Amino acid sequence: MSATTATSVQRQACAPGVAKPFHDAAQQADAAALGMWLFLASEILFFGVLFFVYALARAHLPEAFAAASRQTSFVLGTANTAVLLTSSFTMAAAVRAAQLRRHGAAALLLLITAALGVAFSGIKLTEYALDYRHHLVPLLDFAFDPRLARGALAFFWLYFTTTGLHLVHLTIGIGLALTFAWREWRRRTPRLHEQVENVGLYWHFVDLVWIFLYPCLYLVSRA
Amino acid sequence: MSEMATPLPAAGPYVTAPRGHLDQSYLTAGMTLRSWLTTTDHKRIAILYAVAITTFFFIGGVAATLIRIELATPAGDLVSAETYNKLFTMHGVVMVWFFLIPSIPATLGNFLVPLMIGARDLAFPRLNLASWYLYVAGALFTLVALVLGGVDTGWTFYAPYSSLYSNTHVFYVLAGVFVVGFSSILTGINFIVSVHTLRAPGMHWFRLPLFIWAQYATAAILVLATPVLAMTLVLLGLERFLGVGIFDPALGGDPLLFQHLFWFYSHPAVYVMVLPAMGVVSELFACYSRNPIFGYRTMAYAIVAIAVIGFLVWGHHMFVSGQSTMAGAVFSLLTFLVAIPSAIKVFNWTATLWHGRVRYDAPMLYALGFVGLFTVGGMTGLFLASLALDVHLTDTYFVVAHFHYIMVGGSVSAYLGGIHFWWPKITGRLYSDRWARVAAILLFVGFNFTFFPQYLLGVQGMPRRYYEYPAEFQTLNVLSSAGAVILALGYLLPLLYLGWSLFRGARAPGNPWQATGLEWSTTSPPPVDNFDTLPIVDAPPYDYRPNVIPPDVISAREGTH
Amino acid sequence: MSRPPAAPPPPLRHYVWTWLALLLLLALTAASAWVPMGAFNLAVNLAIALGKALLVAFMYMHVRRGTPMIRVFALAGLMWLALLATLSLTDFAVRLG
């Protein structure tokens, strides 16, 4: 091995846009996808604790949970679920368009996805306002049938914690969707579709959390 | 588009790498503070971490010093009971989250993982820097808590004390640990993805150094366990600041729920603290006995087994908390199981020495110390795993001694051994092995004097977290506090001679210990991009041959001024 | 380190059908909630949620098309959550059950 100086260090022949440690774009894309999945695995455990606590509390206080869940808005909750499921569809379509290098379509679909996300947030905030009006927000003038108040309180702080955390994640997702809508529109970044795929993974994960939250919060006991 | 790498001779012991380019390495590429604080070079980030965690080690050490001074006399005369509670809490919080958990992974791991797998950096260099900043942010929150008077809940934050009754600034510590947790998670993701995607050609999984296996398993634990801690802290915060009754029995909550959630993370966390140390020890044992590690594959499987089984044993922290006896029995059995792979590793290290040509340089002294002290600590873990024994030993000094034997006698010894071993690679300088061996021996002696008496105290019934005790326990306590003085010397000495070596140490060649491993095939210190040409691996790991010492082995002793 | 070029994305109609299936499942779970079935309601809802999740995971997130490692990671998160729940239940089920 010959002596080298810093100036003559062989820099690998990087393709434009390939970050430093990677040989080529395929390797970088693999790594990015792996990284996103690992992050999602950690998120499963992060949200999972809340689902676990919910399960314990519901097993402990079934009647209160049933009564409290009936106070949630079935119509708004179901509508919101439909909105989010649709946004997953538009996001998947956006990723597909990006993969086919149809930048205009991708940008539009990402924009629609973001809009659906905003719609979801709007409906959710409306629900929060209604909950406040009906005295269902813990600490803010909460009022419930005294027999079941303890359990209802547990239900509602779980409700606000889980949906609040979900909303934070959704907002980040909306930001990402808008950012990449813009980038697709400008079509300056090479191999943008790989990043859009990862945004898609994140978005679908947020959807997955809601898929489980919906029956837990809205459908405990409607019959 | 792939790199056309020219094959190096096998990265075995007989590569004479060129002398270090101290003036043209990653250390000199950019000399401003800004270049350091905005670096994405994993080697610089490792050093940033090293500076930060060393600072916190000494902060935690100050707390320990005050504790040991207080405990030299039976009366609570140095500090008040409340202050004492704050001292052991801050000692625990700082040492666990701001020293031990990042220690080997964030310093040696960050520096060595890309080098050992033959890559130019980690998979996500900017994420790596973000990890460091998250550490710093978390550390700042904790410092605020410290300045505002500290927290007295114990590092375990048990509810309902921490959520309802403590009058200290719990929020800041919760925030600090929450934030630093994300630092861990991101580092874990970075390591796992790097090992999967950036290994050099020919670097199959079973050619990886055991250090990499250990880092990988540790990273998996970090990714899977830390989020649970994060959410648990959020719940604790909700309980404390919004009064929701999750853990408060009066509101229908369950204090044991906190403990289950907390220990689900915190038990695997101790494997985060010990597995990287085991990885270091394997590297040291192989090099300093000039033997391949005995039973390499078994060692790798044992690492994975420890990581997996480590997730199944958390209830052994709760035997007397009120959990069901069924749970106690299940967790006790599982805890016995986790001792098996650990024992296998100890046997294999010992077997590595067999028919080797052992050199007792300082890193090897640390490694030998690890094996002995970890074994003692591990065996006493079995005492605690037995339900009946634990009833008497729990919350006594026996437990304190047990975990200090593993985390300090074990992990810190291995950390220091690793720092010494890779010091020439990181800094391009050789240190004085004579002084290093003195420090290693001081540490070993001081450590045993400090903590062995604590086993006896525990068996005799002295409770932990008490600032005063019956007079009959004084002798052992004085012995322990005296030992702590020697231990402190063992910690301070490396600062001196390692610091000295930075300015006056001999320049290190690429491979001063004639060790195997890709990191030794590049210069000391490495260039910014790690390798001039990326290696291709065609040899097994630990390709040592004990009876052939190459003529140009440089012992550190010869390399000093 | 080269890998074969990525397979072309599936035709759009796959996504459309998935979307419609998801909405159908939503309608099913929403409607079934109004039918008094006792403990069965929970089972049905969870089963449908699982079905929706599998659709999203396999059709949108391409878990099936991903490398084996990705599937391992995805599964690991779920498995570890299951570990937390199951082992804790040895305590909760006995003590509070």
Side-chain angles (χ1 to χ4, degrees):
Chain A
M1 205 161 72
S2 57
T4 58
T5 62
T7 52
S8 71
V9 164
Q10 289 288 346
R11 297 207 171 268
Q12 59 192 68
C14 286
V18 178
K20 180 172 102 163
F22 298 107
H23 295 301
D24 57 48
Q27 193 186 33
Q28 183 174 7
D30 270 342
L34 264 182
M36 176 53 77
W37 274 103
L38 271 171
F39 175 68
L40 295 181
S42 79
E43 290 266 66
I44 290 176
L45 283 146
F46 190 57
F47 273 99
V49 171
L50 287 173
F51 279 102
F52 177 62
V53 172
Y54 168 91
L56 288 174
R58 177 167 163 175
H60 195 45
L61 304 153
E63 204 192 332
F65 264 56
S69 171
R70 276 194 285 271
Q71 299 301 313
T72 61
S73 168
F74 176 80
V75 169
L76 290 179
T78 309
N80 238 358
T81 310
V83 166
L84 204 59
L85 289 174
T86 309
S87 77
S88 248
F89 165 58
T90 56
M91 174 57 91
V95 169
R96 180 177 177 278
Q99 287 166 337
L100 292 169
R101 310 295 193 274
R102 294 184 196 155
H103 299 287
L108 183 60
L109 286 162
L110 282 165
L111 210 55
I112 296 175
T113 307
L116 288 169
V118 172
F120 180 98
S121 308
I123 296 176
K124 196 88 212 80
L125 292 172
T126 311
E127 274 185 88
Y128 284 166
L130 282 171
D131 295 326
Y132 176 67
R133 202 111 50 79
H134 297 152
H135 304 283
L136 296 172
V137 183
L139 301 177
L140 295 179
D141 212 16
F142 185 85
F144 210 83
D145 175 358
R147 215 174 30 97
L148 302 169
R150 223 179 61 182
L153 204 57
F155 176 89
F156 277 105
W157 75 251
L158 269 167
Y159 167 88
F160 282 102
T161 308
T162 50
T163 57
L165 196 61
H166 179 263
L167 206 55
V168 167
H169 280 78
L170 184 71
T171 309
I172 294 172
I174 294 172
L176 287 170
L178 289 174
T179 306
F180 281 88
W182 172 255
R183 288 193 188 167
E184 282 285 349
W185 183 252
R186 302 296 264 157
R187 55 191 92 180
R188 275 209 216 110
T189 323
R191 288 180 328 281
L192 190 57
H193 69 275
E194 285 158 10
Q195 299 174 42
V196 177
E197 279 167 11
N198 283 339
V199 174
L201 285 176
Y202 178 83
W203 190 273
H204 295 308
F205 176 77
V206 175
D207 191 18
L208 280 175
V209 172
W210 186 261
I211 283 174
F212 286 97
L213 272 183
Y214 168 67
C216 286
L217 297 175
Y218 292 92
L219 303 183
V220 174
S221 167
R222 292 283 173 188
Chain B
M1 211 78 66
S2 306
E3 173 91 21
M4 282 312 296
T6 48
L8 291 177
Y14 312 123
V15 174
T16 307
R19 291 241 147 208
H21 298 305
L22 207 54
D23 40 346
Q24 287 146 4
S25 69
Y26 79 97
L27 286 171
T28 52
M31 304 288 267
T32 62
L33 185 64
R34 188 183 172 174
S35 73
W36 278 89
L37 293 178
T38 57
T39 183
T40 53
D41 181 351
H42 66 101
K43 302 181 289 298
R44 287 193 163 203
I45 293 174
I47 293 181
L48 289 175
Y49 267 108
V51 170
I53 68 168
T54 308
T55 310
F56 274 88
F57 178 73
F58 284 102
I59 292 177
V62 166
T65 307
L66 291 170
I67 290 172
R68 283 312 328 163
I69 295 177
E70 169 65 88
L71 290 178
T73 60
D77 43 15
L78 183 69
V79 294
S80 68
E82 287 75 23
T83 307
Y84 187 81
N85 294 345
K86 294 175 184 177
L87 283 175
F88 67 69
T89 302
M90 296 316 285
H91 172 74
V93 167
V94 164
M95 287 306 204
V96 166
W97 280 297
F98 296 95
F99 173 68
L100 271 170
I101 287 191
S103 63
I104 297 176
T107 57
L108 295 172
N110 260 325
F111 195 93
L112 294 168
V113 166
L115 285 166
M116 284 186 173
I117 64 177
R120 296 202 183 278
D121 206 315
L122 289 175
F124 308 120
R126 285 173 303 177
L127 205 65
N128 202 12
L129 185 66
S131 287
W132 184 74
Y133 276 105
L134 284 171
Y135 172 93
V136 171
L140 284 174
F141 269 114
T142 309
L143 278 177
V144 167
L146 202 59
V147 162
L148 290 178
V151 168
D152 66 352
T153 59
W155 80 276
T156 46
F157 303 124
Y158 273 17
Y161 181 73
S162 59
S163 54
L164 296 180
Y165 301 107
S166 174
N167 290 323
T168 55
H169 296 277
V170 174
F171 170 77
Y172 291 103
V173 176
L174 292 184
V177 176
F178 180 84
V179 169
V180 85
F182 286 98
S183 170
S184 296
I185 295 173
L186 295 181
T187 299
I189 293 177
N190 227 335
F191 281 6
I192 294 176
V193 175
S194 301
V195 174
H196 275 283
T197 58
L198 289 174
R199 279 169 289 132
M203 180 61 93
H204 309 308
W205 281 89
F206 288 111
R207 284 182 176 165
L208 287 167
L210 287 169
F211 180 82
I212 298 292
W213 278 95
Q215 292 299 336
Y216 184 91
T218 303
I221 299 176
L222 287 171
V223 170
L224 293 170
T226 316
V228 174
L229 175 75
M231 184 52 77
T232 308
L233 296 176
V234 168
L235 294 178
L236 194 62
L238 285 179
E239 173 120 328
R240 181 172 175 83
F241 300 106
L242 298 181
V244 292
I246 320 163
F247 308 124
D248 178 11
L251 296 175
D254 184 7
L256 245 63
L257 178 59
F258 175 84
Q259 295 185 28
H260 277 292
L261 293 175
F262 177 82
W263 287 113
F264 181 83
Y265 161 81
S266 296
H267 189 83
V270 316
Y271 294 106
V272 167
M273 297 184 245
V274 95
L275 279 173
M278 292 176 161
V280 170
V281 168
S282 287
E283 303 300 317
L284 300 182
F285 260 64
C287 177
Y288 288 101
S289 51
R290 312 306 299 169
N291 256 342
I293 286 284
F294 183 89
Y296 166 86
R297 284 211 182 203
T298 311
M299 291 293 257
Y301 293 140
I303 288 173
V304 174
I306 291 172
V308 172
I309 305 177
F311 268 99
L312 308 178
V313 302
W314 77 83
H316 66 227
H317 298 270
M318 300 158 57
F319 283 153
V320 300
S321 299
Q323 73 180 355
S324 72
T325 328
M326 159 81 87
V330 167
F331 281 117
S332 173
L333 180 64
L334 289 166
T335 307
F336 274 94
L337 282 184
V338 82
I340 297 174
S342 308
I344 289 175
K345 293 186 78 68
V346 171
F347 295 145
N348 283 16
W349 283 315
T350 312
T352 303
L353 298 172
W354 185 251
H355 284 323
R357 207 180 170 100
V358 183
R359 274 182 15 231
Y360 294 95
D361 289 359
M364 186 54 162
L365 293 182
Y366 282 114
L368 288 166
F370 173 93
V371 174
L373 298 173
F374 169 78
T375 304
V376 171
M379 291 200 299
T380 54
L382 292 172
F383 284 58
L384 295 166
S386 318
L387 280 171
L389 274 176
D390 189 73
V391 170
H392 297 281
L393 296 174
T394 198
D395 278 339
T396 67
Y397 262 83
F398 192 90
V399 181
V400 176
H402 157 73
F403 63 70
H404 280 95
Y405 259 78
I406 303 191
M407 295 205 282
V408 178
S411 296
V412 177
S413 290
Y415 173 69
L416 288 172
I419 291 287
H420 283 75
F421 184 62
W422 282 292
W423 186 261
K425 180 58 56 185
I426 297 171
T427 62
R429 301 280 188 172
L430 294 170
Y431 56 86
S432 160
D433 193 64
R434 188 188 320 123
W435 279 109
R437 280 179 289 149
V438 167
I441 292 170
L442 276 177
L443 188 144
F444 185 83
V445 168
F447 175 85
N448 279 301
F449 269 108
T450 309
F451 289 104
F452 197 84
Q454 296 185 6
Y455 279 128
L456 303 173
L457 283 168
V459 167
Q460 290 173 22
M462 179 173 170
R464 63 187 287 199
R465 296 180 170 177
Y466 277 38
Y467 79 135
E468 59 185 3
Y469 52 82
E472 71 226 46
F473 294 141
Q474 182 169 22
T475 316
L476 289 170
N477 268 297
V478 168
L479 200 54
S480 176
S481 296
V485 175
I486 305 174
L487 185 60
L489 276 178
Y491 289 142
L492 290 169
L493 215 49
L495 285 180
L496 297 178
Y497 61 78
L498 288 178
W500 175 265
S501 80
L502 287 177
F503 303 102
R504 298 298 193 89
R507 299 289 179 95
N511 194 354
W513 320 131
Q514 291 298 297
T516 65
L518 292 179
E519 75 272 27
W520 299 108
S521 69
T522 187
T523 58
S524 299
V528 172
D529 278 350
N530 293 346
F531 302 97
D532 293 331
T533 47
L534 287 179
I536 290 178
V537 179
D538 57 3
Y542 309 116
D543 196 14
Y544 292 103
R545 275 149 247 171
N547 294 315
V548 182
I549 303 287
D552 53 339
V553 168
I554 296 176
S555 170
R557 291 160 233 182
E558 299 157 22
T560 55
H561 290 293
Chain C
M1 259 302 166
S2 60
R3 61 141 141 106
L12 192 61
R13 62 174 186 283
H14 283 198
Y15 292 163
V16 178
W17 282 118
T18 307
W19 173 54
L20 292 173
L22 287 168
L23 289 179
L24 184 65
L25 287 173
L26 175 62
L28 211 59
T29 198
S32 73
W34 295 94
V35 178
M37 294 189 281
F40 237 175
N41 280 107
L42 176 62
V44 167
N45 286 334
L46 282 180
I48 293 178
L50 186 63
K52 282 195 240 166
L54 288 172
L55 274 173
V56 170
F58 279 86
M59 300 304 295
Y60 289 160
M61 297 173 90
H62 305 302
V63 171
R64 190 170 14 107
R65 276 153 49 104
T67 67
M69 215 11 82
I70 278 178
R71 274 175 267 161
V72 168
F73 290 169
L75 221 55
L78 290 167
M79 265 192 57
W80 253 250
L81 192 57
L83 274 177
L84 169 63
T86 333
L87 275 175
S88 307
L89 279 175
T90 61
D91 178 30
F92 289 115
V94 172
R95 187 163 49 92
L96 305 170

